[in-house]
């Protein structure tokens, strides 16, 4: 806080100086150009045997060709973190002969396994809907159904249900004030990854928004990987399933028999 | 302590799984049953995907039957010939059961099919056990001797392809033996149960297998059929979670010891009534889940690995 206060003080002083000289010169200011620079505190997330979620920390700065003049507002920053996308089946239960059974199903062509949007202010206050669709920023633009749905009456209901279910599992969320912008230049955000994420290449997209438009963007790849025992077991189960099956049986037999023999001896 | 299950792709509390294993282990040690019929529903209750819950039972059952099989083998209480015939039926049943299971997953009906089968089987077994233990208790109180049992084996004796099973002192058709083995194989693959609770009464009442070899022989068949089922589920459905199996197993071994010690100080018929109550309670809970309007009608499965 002390450091930030100091930076703010200097920035204010510099701005005041510039403002003073410019006011003296009384001429039009140069057109503003802004770029975004960003980084993440970690290059990858490891899912280990005791994985219980993780926190992602992003930071960055807005680069400008000149200082902002007093009446120029700070831009907004939006950060989207997206997990690997895959098609999913969304099923709806219906009542048949007194019991509830899955009756309708629809295939959602693309649904990210994880989706978080953090921004300096709520998206609908800062972004035009055309821009939102173009850059696929809000959650609603990233989960969609392709083709002609067959067995469902109201496909939109299924799409919304998919979003709602993943929201309730903590896999989709929005943090409308989750990005902190200081001195109209430096930004940072912390987002938590829940424990139930799947592995794959996650991508963070960072957008600089001004007057409802995206004026610059950047992206970072963050691989999320199972590691150690988790990775070994997962790969074995997928790539050499017969070997995995035998291995599981052997370990289970050994552990089960060993433990019960141990107890038998202890009781004597 | 949280543990990430590599196949279920979820993080769960290791202590919860250990105590679940121990709880079911106590019951299995207390009553001398496998406990798979309680474990699968419990895992589904705590949020393990039904497909993983069912298929992970297979290695678990193999490991927990080994000690029993060895003990009975040493006492020569295994009818190996009958065990092998049962096994032939069981392997065929398991192969078909795993295929059926895959097909149910594609349809998105695993949870429904598993729950329905559980309600039916737990209901039947629970009611039968409760009736039997109540009549025995009442009879003991009145001091009347049990009526002589009338084995109804007439139909079975008329079937062809007879074979002699020396150790069981039986000369019977192989057809009912194969059918029993087959049924157990199918149920093991779809429900994640060893099937002792169906196999023992079937062998005693239908085939007339003497009680001194019935437990050893059925365990012998269950162990090999479930080993085969574990391999098939691993290859075909890729839903066997080794970490989950290991945690449940360790809890189960500890629980079984406690249960066996407890069982020594309780009386048989009361125990059986208690087990019947547990079975009926699980059955009721599952039946309610099937019929009450669910709070969430929708569910998601990823198309890549339909767990």
């Amino acid at each position: 806080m002390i450091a930030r206060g100091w930076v703010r003080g200097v920035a204010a002083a510099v701005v005041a100086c510039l403002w003073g000289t410019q006011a003296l010169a009384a001429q039009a200011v140069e057109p503003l150009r802004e770029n975004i620079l960003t980084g993440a505190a970690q290059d990858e997330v490891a899912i280990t045997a005791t994985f219980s979620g993780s926190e992602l920390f992003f930071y960055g700065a807005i680069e400008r060709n000149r200082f902002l003049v007093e009446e120029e507002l700070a831009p907004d920053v939006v950060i989207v973190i997206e997990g690997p996308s895959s098609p999913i089946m969304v099923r709806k239960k219906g009542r048949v002969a007194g019991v509830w059974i899955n009756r309708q199903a629809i295939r959602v062509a693309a649904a990210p396994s994880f989706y978080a949007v953090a921004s300096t202010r709520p998206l609908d206050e800062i972004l035009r809907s055309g821009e939102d669709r173009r850059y696929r920023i809000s959650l609603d633009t990233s989960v969609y159904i392709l083709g002609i749905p067959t067995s469902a009456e109201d496909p939109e209901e299924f799409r919304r249900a998919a979003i709602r279910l993943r929201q309730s599992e903590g896999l989709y969320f929005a943090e409308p004030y989750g990005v902190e912008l200081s001195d109209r230049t430096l930004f940072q955000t912390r987002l938590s990854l829940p424990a139930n994420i799947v592995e794959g290449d996650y991508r963070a997209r960072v957008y600089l928004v001004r007057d409802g438009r995206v004026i610059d963007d950047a992206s970072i790849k963050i691989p999320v990987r199972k590691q150690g025992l988790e990775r070994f077991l997962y790969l074995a189960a997928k790539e050499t399933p017969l070997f995995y099956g035998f291995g599981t049986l052997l370990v289970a037999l050994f552990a089960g028999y060993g433990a019960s023999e141990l107890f038998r001896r202890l009781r004597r | 302590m949280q543990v990430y299950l590599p196949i279920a792709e979820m993080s769960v509390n290791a202590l919860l799984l250990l105590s679940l294993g121990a709880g079911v282990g106590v019951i299995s040690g207390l009553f001398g049953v496998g406990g798979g019929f309680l474990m699968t529903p419990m895992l589904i209750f705590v949020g393990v995907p039904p497909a993983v819950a069912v298929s992970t039972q297979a290695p678990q059952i193999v490991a927990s039957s080994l000690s029993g099989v060895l003990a009975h083998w040493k006492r020569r209480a295994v009818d190996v010939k009958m065990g092998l015939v049962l096994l032939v039926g069981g392997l065929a049943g398991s192969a078909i059961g795993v295929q059926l299971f895959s097909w149910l997953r594609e349809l998105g009906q695993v949870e429904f099919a598993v729950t329905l089968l559980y309600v039916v089987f737990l209901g039947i077994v629970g009611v039968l056990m409760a009736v039997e233990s109540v009549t025995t208790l009442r009879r003991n109180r009145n001091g009347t001797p049990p009526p002589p049992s009338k084995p109804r084996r007439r139909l079975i004796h008329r079937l062809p392809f007879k074979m002699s099973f020396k150790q069981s002192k039986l000369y019977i058709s192989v057809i009912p033996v194969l059918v029993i083995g087959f049924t157990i194989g199918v149920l093991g693959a779809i429900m994640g149960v060893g099937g002792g609770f169906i196999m023992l009464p079937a062998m005693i009442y239908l085939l007339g297998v003497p009680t001194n070899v019935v437990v050893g022989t059925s365990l012998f068949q269950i162990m090999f059929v479930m080993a085969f089922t574990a391999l098939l589920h691993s290859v075909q459905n890729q839903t066997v979670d080794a970490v989950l199996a290991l945690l449940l197993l360790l809890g189960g071994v500890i629980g079984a010891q406690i249960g066996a010690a407890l069982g020594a100080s309780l009386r048989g018929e009361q125990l059986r009534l208690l087990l019947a109550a547990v079975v009926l309670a699980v059955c009721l809970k599952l039946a309610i889940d099937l019929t009450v309007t669910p709070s969430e009608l929708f569910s998601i499965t990823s198309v890549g690995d339909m767990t």
Side-chain angles (χ1 to χ4, degrees), chain A residues 47-52 86-93 95 98-103 107 157-158 161-162 164-166 169 195-199 226 229-230 233-234 237-239 241-242 244-246 248-249 251-253 255-257 259-260 263-264 267, chain B residues 1-7 9-11 58-60 62-63 66-67 70 105-109 111-112 226-227 230-231 234-235 238 240-243 245-246 249-250 253-254 257 260-261 289-294 296-305:
Chain A
I47 300 183
T48 56
T50 55
F51 182 73
S52 58
S86 67
I88 53 173
M89 292 298 286
V90 183
R91 296 195 164 88
K92 187 187 182 188
K93 286 198 173 95
R95 194 162 210 164
V99 295
W100 290 89
I101 179 169
N102 286 331
R103 290 197 71 191
R107 191 185 155 98
E157 189 193 11
F158 283 72
R164 189 181 67 236
L165 283 169
R166 291 233 155 127
E169 289 177 74
N196 51 348
I197 53 168
V198 298
E199 72 169 358
K226 290 181 172 127
L229 182 67
E230 300 298 304
L233 289 176
Y234 182 79
K238 298 284 164 199
E239 280 159 26
L242 192 63
Y244 172 84
F246 271 114
T248 306
L249 275 177
V251 169
L253 278 175
Y257 186 68
S260 59
F263 270 99
R264 199 161 303 155
R267 275 210 290 169
Chain B
M1 194 184 97
Q2 293 294 117
V3 167
Y4 189 84
L5 303 177
I7 306 301
E9 299 206 296
M10 61 184 290
S11 173
Q60 165 96 359
V62 175
L66 180 65
S67 305
L70 288 178
R105 285 178 76 203
E106 271 164 42
L107 289 181
Q109 301 296 5
E111 188 167 12
F112 171 74
M226 289 316 263
L231 293 180
S234 301
V235 173
Q238 307 192 333
V240 177
D241 196 307
V243 175
L246 207 58
L249 192 62
L250 290 181
V253 169
I254 298 166
Q257 303 294 326
D289 287 351
L290 270 186
T291 49
V292 166
T293 308
E296 176 61 80
L297 289 177
F298 290 90
S299 61
I300 299 181
T301 42
S302 70
V303 177
D305 56 39

Side-chain angles (χ1 to χ4, degrees), chain A residues 194-227:
Chain A
N196 51 348
I197 53 168
V198 298
E199 72 169 358
D201 283 332
Y202 284 55
R203 226 159 68 90
R205 297 181 266 136
V206 185
Y207 296 99
L208 186 62
V209 177
R210 189 180 271 287
D211 303 326
R213 289 178 194 285
V214 171
I215 54 173
D216 193 22
D217 61 349
S219 96
I220 313 174
K221 200 171 86 173
I222 302 156
V224 173
R225 294 273 178 266
K226 290 181 172 127
Q227 274 193 356

Side-chain angles (χ1 to χ4, degrees), chain B residues 3-291:
Chain B
V3 167
Y4 189 84
L5 303 177
I7 306 301
E9 299 206 296
M10 61 184 290
S11 173
V12 284
N13 191 322
L15 286 179
L16 175 73
L17 289 183
L18 280 175
S19 43
L20 202 61
V24 174
V26 167
I27 291 171
S28 82
L30 200 56
F31 303 112
V33 294
F37 68 95
L38 288 176
M39 189 61 97
T40 309
M42 291 297 171
L43 287 178
I44 296 174
F45 292 157
V46 300
V48 175
V52 175
V54 167
S55 43
T56 301
Q57 285 302 305
Q60 165 96 359
I61 291 166
V62 175
S64 47
S65 353
L66 180 65
S67 305
V69 171
L70 288 178
H72 284 93
W73 186 269
K74 273 183 217 152
R75 274 188 266 134
R76 298 178 180 280
V78 179
D79 185 335
V80 179
K81 195 172 175 189
M82 180 172 286
L84 289 176
V85 177
L86 283 169
L87 189 55
V88 169
L91 296 183
S94 165
I96 287 177
V98 170
Q99 290 301 324
L100 212 60
F101 191 76
S102 274
W103 179 68
L104 284 170
R105 285 178 76 203
E106 271 164 42
L107 289 181
Q109 301 296 5
V110 166
E111 188 167 12
F112 171 74
V114 168
T115 314
L116 191 67
L117 278 175
Y118 267 94
V119 169
V120 171
F121 278 100
L122 293 183
I124 293 172
V125 171
V127 168
L128 287 180
M129 274 198 308
V131 168
E132 196 169 340
S133 46
V134 166
T135 27
T136 317
L137 279 176
R138 199 171 289 157
R139 200 179 294 134
N140 287 351
R141 199 174 299 151
N142 300 341
T144 46
S149 57
K150 285 180 281 177
R152 272 169 279 168
R153 285 185 241 148
R154 280 180 210 125
L155 180 66
I156 298 241
H157 281 281
R158 260 185 255 143
L159 291 168
F161 308 115
K162 293 201 176 182
M163 199 184 238
S164 75
F165 297 100
K166 275 184 201 137
Q167 201 145 4
S168 306
K169 299 186 181 70
L170 286 173
Y171 181 66
I172 49 167
S173 162
V174 292
I175 293 172
V177 184
L178 287 173
V179 169
I180 291 174
F182 181 84
T183 312
I184 299 301
V186 173
L187 291 184
I190 298 180
M191 293 173 70
V193 293
F197 67 98
I198 294 164
M199 198 158 174
L200 291 180
M203 285 171 79
I204 295 169
Y205 298 119
L206 291 179
L207 303 180
V209 178
T211 41
N212 61 331
V213 292
V214 75
V215 176
T217 309
S218 69
L219 272 178
F220 174 84
Q221 189 256 9
I222 285 170
M223 189 173 88
F224 286 105
V225 168
M226 289 316 263
F228 185 63
T229 307
L231 293 180
L232 284 185
H233 271 312
S234 301
V235 173
Q236 172 107 28
N237 296 314
Q238 307 192 333
T239 43
V240 177
D241 196 307
V243 175
L244 179 62
L246 207 58
L247 282 170
L248 294 177
L249 192 62
L250 290 181
V253 169
I254 298 166
Q257 303 294 326
I258 300 170
L262 274 178
S265 61
L266 284 170
R267 277 204 287 153
E269 284 314 314
Q270 271 112 339
L271 268 184
R272 191 147 56 158
L273 194 59
L274 200 64
L275 178 61
V278 172
V279 167
L280 287 175
V282 175
C283 170
L284 194 69
K285 162 84 173 100
L286 291 172
I288 289 171
D289 287 351
L290 270 186
T291 49

